[in-house]
Amino acid sequence: MDEMLDEGAYDRLRLRQWLAGEAGGFSRRDLLRLTAAVGAGLAGAAAAGAPARAAAGPIVKPLPPELFTVLGTNAEMRWSAMADQGYLVPIDRFFVRNHTSTPIIDPADWRLRIFGTGLRHGPADLSYDDLRRLPAATITAAVECAGNGRGYFTSQQGQTVSGTAWKLGAVGVARWRGVRLSTVLRHAGLARDAVDVLPAGLDANFVTGGVDLGPVRRPLPLRKALHDVLVAYEMNGEPLPADHGHPVRLIVPHWIGIASIKWLGSLEVSDAPLFSPWNTQFYRLFGAGFPAEGEPFDRQVIKSAFELDQGAQVSAGRHARLRGRSWSAGGAIRHVDVSTDGGLHWRRARRVGGSEGAAWQRWELDWRPAAGEHELLARATDVRGNTQPDVAVHNSLGYLFDAVVRHRVVAV
Ligand SMILES: Nc1nc2c(c(=O)[nH]1)N[C@H]1C(S)=C(S)[C@@H](COP(=O)(O)O)O[C@H]1N2
Ligand SMILES: [Mo]
């Protein structure tokens, strides 16, 4: 709870500093200039890291239609692909969110450059072998896009939003192994007045509307960086796959996916607040009820999904076992209520297994559907009492959809 309150205070402080122009990296004037002069190139804070080769397509791994829905440079996991799976999402079906294309990086050429005013002894440079020699740690954690569920703002709430129209498959849980970011930063030597860390990716610069915004990057408060962030080189016991950040990415538990920078090339450690387009222009809440400059946020919300496609067919007149998963950045799931009749009646789902690292909770419920259409709903509540609402708060970029999703199935 403390941590969450502090995150809110941090965001409000940074917002004031950004509005006042006390910004490092990406100022409000930069943003205004950008939005005014579309077409002009920005000399971004480019991370000159290891030479990266672009893959043939935006995504390297196979994307069979029974496991994925392809959405531009991204691939959403189909929830039916999780039926009969264990706690973790296997790599072959883990969603991919790429701003540009998966780069191919040789670990032998890779370097992590650590620099900035928040270091005690000046810049540091780590090779892949250096990183592997530091003490390792393993965590089970979800990566979830801030826009997961965005499509339901339109299909369920009739609202206009921009961005990738994900259903609920822009989330995955994996076991990540690597080195704690606190270990890496202390190894580099932190100054006492360091406040922010800005990780940047080695993928191609993100260009939108003719404007080059530089490498994908988003600052973290030092407090979060030292708390539970991992510099990961393994996913589910294998070297990180190309699409998920090979050779090294960040994993920032409970925060929106954009914080977990893939193909990590540099860490700027600063004694002044840092900004980037990814915490000023994007990944803020804009729209009615929000300040004109947008409301900052970092943390994910609470959601549930059935391990079925929307519109799936089930067998009529026979016992069926409905399965699903719920997750919350607010903590472990306390209970999940399920309705099979569009919300008229609710039953408590049975938990299946534990919840490693509180990444998510599996659950099930028996049901005997009559022939015809049915609407399934699942509403989770976490240990802090956060519950999924009926309606998510609209924001124009379509982030943080937490409402109960109406899931149509047909029994035949
Ligand atoms: N360098 C880099 N890091 C990135 C991104 C990216 O495009 N480039 N996408 C971010 C976003 S928006 C999300 S949701 C997660 C997705 O992680 P995944 O593709 O491994 O599922 O990576 C984040 N890290
Ligand atoms: Mo994302």
Side-chain angles (χ1 to χ4, degrees):
M1 199 64 168
D2 276 2
E3 191 202 336
M4 294 173 72
L5 291 174
D6 284 351
E7 285 167 9
Y10 168 86
D11 281 336
R12 284 190 298 279
L13 173 65
R14 283 290 174 278
L15 179 59
R16 282 200 301 277
Q17 291 167 323
W18 187 65
L19 290 172
E22 299 162 27
F26 188 78
S27 71
R28 185 137 189 267
R29 279 179 49 207
D30 290 334
L31 174 59
L32 296 177
R33 207 164 17 181
L34 272 181
T35 28
V38 170
L42 167 75
R53 195 156 60 72
I59 296 175
V60 169
K61 69 183 177 185
L63 302 172
E66 65 276 17
L67 301 182
F68 291 103
T69 306
V70 175
L71 301 162
T73 55
N74 315 299
E76 164 158 19
M77 181 191 76
R78 284 178 61 174
W79 265 96
S80 52
M82 285 310 288
D84 309 317
Q85 292 297 320
Y87 192 79
L88 305 177
V89 176
I91 288 166
D92 69 359
R93 61 205 67 193
F94 204 99
F95 86 102
V96 181
R97 162 62 173 127
N98 279 353
H99 278 71
T100 60
S101 267
T102 294
I104 305 298
I105 299 168
D106 183 345
D109 298 334
W110 179 85
R111 286 278 182 289
L112 179 58
R113 296 186 313 118
I114 310 176
F115 65 96
T117 53
L119 293 178
R120 196 145 36 111
H121 316 295
D125 192 280
L126 254 78
S127 71
Y128 189 70
D129 290 340
D130 294 337
L131 187 69
R132 299 290 306 227
R133 274 193 290 269
L134 292 173
T138 301
I139 60 171
T140 299
V143 172
E144 182 182 18
C145 191
N148 193 26
R150 179 184 285 129
Y152 291 107
F153 276 110
T154 306
S155 64
Q156 186 164 297
Q157 300 188 175
Q159 293 162 329
T160 304
V161 288
S162 59
T164 303
W166 306 104
K167 291 194 175 80
L168 285 173
V171 61
V173 169
R175 191 165 296 141
W176 311 95
R177 183 164 185 268
V179 180
R180 290 186 190 288
L181 181 54
S182 60
T183 305
V184 171
L185 292 175
R186 290 195 171 112
H187 179 83
L190 278 178
R192 291 190 57 151
D193 51 0
V195 291
D196 278 2
V197 179
L198 181 63
L202 293 168
D203 41 341
N205 286 2
F206 182 60
V207 179
T208 182
V211 177
D212 185 344
L213 296 179
V216 176
R217 62 201 190 283
R218 190 177 201 264
L220 291 169
L222 188 70
R223 186 189 153 91
K224 177 69 175 174
L226 296 180
H227 177 56
D228 59 358
V229 177
L230 193 70
V231 180
Y233 46 69
E234 267 179 36
M235 177 180 188
N236 293 346
E238 290 180 34
L240 265 188
D243 296 310
H244 299 290
H246 183 81
V248 175
R249 78 175 300 170
L250 280 194
I251 292 294
V252 182
H254 312 301
W255 279 33
I256 53 176
I258 185 61
S260 294
I261 293 294
K262 303 193 279 187
W263 313 295
L264 182 66
S266 64
L267 294 168
E268 178 178 358
V269 186
S270 177
D271 63 5
L274 295 175
F275 299 88
S276 88
W278 285 266
N279 71 333
T280 53
Q281 192 176 353
F282 319 119
Y283 303 98
R284 280 208 193 202
L285 305 175
F286 293 99
F290 295 109
E293 63 277 8
E295 190 168 298
F297 69 98
D298 306 300
R299 206 166 250 272
Q300 274 294 358
V301 286
I302 181 167
K303 290 191 185 77
S304 300
F306 291 93
E307 295 170 7
L308 289 167
D309 291 322
Q310 276 285 356
Q313 279 198 5
V314 295
S315 305
R318 284 208 257 140
H319 275 290
R321 184 155 291 174
L322 286 174
R323 291 197 180 83
R325 301 175 192 233
S326 299
W327 59 99
S328 171
I333 297 297
R334 186 191 286 151
H335 55 74
V336 181
D337 294 317
V338 174
S339 170
T340 54
D341 58 5
L344 285 176
H345 303 91
W346 294 84
R347 284 188 289 155
R348 186 124 315 166
R350 253 190 329 271
R351 289 168 178 277
V352 176
S355 69
E356 284 175 51
W360 58 19
Q361 177 64 54
R362 302 161 70 195
W363 46 259
E364 62 183 26
L365 187 91
D366 294 324
W367 179 44
R368 191 172 177 162
E373 274 212 18
H374 301 272
E375 207 172 53
L376 308 177
L377 288 79
R379 186 194 309 277
T381 302
D382 73 18
V383 291
R384 290 209 172 86
N386 300 307
T387 293
Q388 293 182 254
D390 291 327
V391 178
V393 175
H394 176 258
N395 60 98
S396 55
L397 299 182
Y399 298 126
L400 304 183
F401 188 93
D402 57 354
V404 173
V405 167
R406 299 183 165 271
H407 192 125
R408 259 186 341 98
V409 297
V410 185
V412 286

